[in-house]
Amino acid sequence: MTHRARKRFGQNFLHDTGVIQRIMQAVAAHPDQAMVEIGPGQGALTLPLLRACGRVDAVELDRDLIAPLSDKAAAAGTLVIHQADALKFDFSTLARAGSRLRVVGNLPYNISTPLLFHLAGQSDYIQDMHFMLQKEVVLRMAASPGGGAYGRLSIMMQYHCRVTPLFDIGPESFRPAPKVDSAFVRLVPWGRPPVRVENYTDFDTLVRQAFAQRRKTLRNSLKGLLGENDIRACDIDPGARPETLSLEQYARLANRLVTTTQGR
Ligand code: SAM
């Protein structure tokens, strides 16, 4: 029976063999690596991954895809499918002793941002991640301060990982074709984050609030968290807009927040 792609599961199946080959080259999977695929779908990436490394753990939400995929995969290697929502999945359960996870996925675009945050929170167990995403999301993840693409996603992803956009893919490589361009990206969690953050929850709160209304100046957007004097004490102009600050400057503000709350 043929499967009807489901929009609510963000199903755009990859069919372009050239693109699949480029993805496989970029991932460079080897036997004995703990390979995890998010959203295997009909197996466009799963089968070559299995051939390269012998075993893949896959997390797939759509029950209807599971039996056909298991059948297809049987000859290629050991495929363990976890029927689950990747947004709620505890990836640490898949980490094997001594080897961190290599995570791959042509992600459902409708949940990609919360999924990236969910994975970033589990980055201690992850060696690297290779994802197909909406191109605009990749541009936002990799953006530098000053531009319109720079925001909370850039800061939080760059705090957790080295973000390397690899190549772009047009809609015609998928069935059905999405309405947007796509890009393939590599994320490598830092052993140690590039900036020192004393309290991660404060850092998260501060960045979230700074960008809640990105047209506001810091003095206005950070009201209730930091006063003008606190911002100045970090050597930052309270009249600056949130998109002009670097990751390091956000870490400085968050660490100031820790000091001021401790002083209360
Ligand atoms: N990997 C396949 C490919 O490249 O052709 C399918 C990619 S398709 C863009 C996204 C896949 O993620 C679908 O198989 C879809 O059912 C699955 N999916 C959607 N939401 C999910 C979720 N919350 N958790 C796990 N898988 C999900």
Side-chain angles (χ1 to χ4, degrees):
M1 204 172 67
T2 50
H3 177 84
R4 268 259 217 94
R6 294 194 167 112
K7 210 170 169 186
R8 75 191 154 98
F9 289 146
Q11 289 177 350
N12 299 98
F13 298 112
L14 194 55
H15 67 85
D16 184 328
T17 49
V19 170
I20 294 169
Q21 231 167 37
R22 288 182 81 184
I23 291 176
M24 292 310 294
Q25 270 164 9
V27 174
H30 291 291
D32 300 326
Q33 293 178 330
M35 193 61 67
V36 178
E37 187 183 1
I38 299 177
Q42 299 175 316
L45 301 176
T46 325
L47 298 186
L49 283 172
L50 272 175
R51 283 186 208 110
C53 58
R55 175 188 160 120
V56 173
D57 280 88
V59 182
E60 173 58 62
L61 185 57
D62 187 349
R63 287 172 194 280
D64 293 349
L65 291 172
I66 292 177
L69 180 59
S70 300
D71 291 347
K72 257 197 216 174
T78 307
L79 177 62
V80 182
I81 308 179
H82 306 266
Q83 197 268 312
D85 181 350
L87 280 174
K88 297 183 186 145
F89 194 79
D90 179 359
F91 287 87
S92 69
T93 58
L94 303 180
R96 298 182 216 151
S99 62
R100 285 177 302 148
L101 305 175
R102 302 202 66 206
V103 187
V104 176
N106 170 12
L107 297 186
Y109 294 175
N110 50 346
I111 58 156
S112 58
T113 309
L115 190 52
L116 288 166
F117 281 113
H118 178 61
L119 289 159
Q122 307 193 34
S123 54
D124 284 353
Y125 305 100
I126 297 175
Q127 179 183 328
D128 59 18
M129 299 177 263
H130 287 87
F131 292 137
M132 175 87 76
L133 290 160
Q134 193 174 329
K135 182 174 172 184
E136 182 238 320
V137 173
V138 172
L139 292 176
R140 279 167 47 210
M141 283 160 73
S144 309
Y150 185 73
R152 178 173 169 244
L153 187 66
S154 333
I155 293 159
M156 300 313 280
M157 293 315 295
Q158 291 170 30
Y159 172 73
H160 288 285
C161 303
R162 177 154 41 86
V163 180
T164 313
L166 295 176
F167 50 88
D168 296 345
I169 303 110
E172 65 288 349
S173 296
F174 305 87
R175 226 174 266 129
K179 290 198 174 66
V180 292
D181 282 329
S182 303
F184 196 65
V185 66
R186 175 180 294 140
L187 304 171
V188 183
W190 307 109
R192 182 193 297 175
V195 295
R196 190 180 55 83
V197 162
E198 284 168 24
N199 181 314
Y200 182 77
T201 311
D202 282 346
F203 174 61
D204 186 39
T205 306
L206 185 118
V207 174
R208 201 184 284 267
Q209 188 161 323
F211 284 97
Q213 286 171 291
R214 54 186 296 143
R215 281 168 197 283
K216 283 192 176 178
T217 58
L218 291 177
R219 131 177 349 103
N220 289 318
S221 62
L222 296 184
K223 259 187 194 146
L225 288 179
L226 289 175
E228 259 193 79
N229 287 341
D230 290 311
I231 302 174
R232 270 207 201 88
C234 298
D235 265 336
I236 294 168
D237 173 8
R241 308 243 171 229
E243 69 271 19
T244 61
L245 264 60
S246 67
L247 169 60
E248 191 276 324
Q249 287 174 307
Y250 275 107
R252 231 188 285 160
L253 288 171
N255 293 341
R256 178 79 188 177
L257 182 57
V258 175
T259 325
T260 52
T261 38
Q262 276 167 356
R264 270 179 208 153

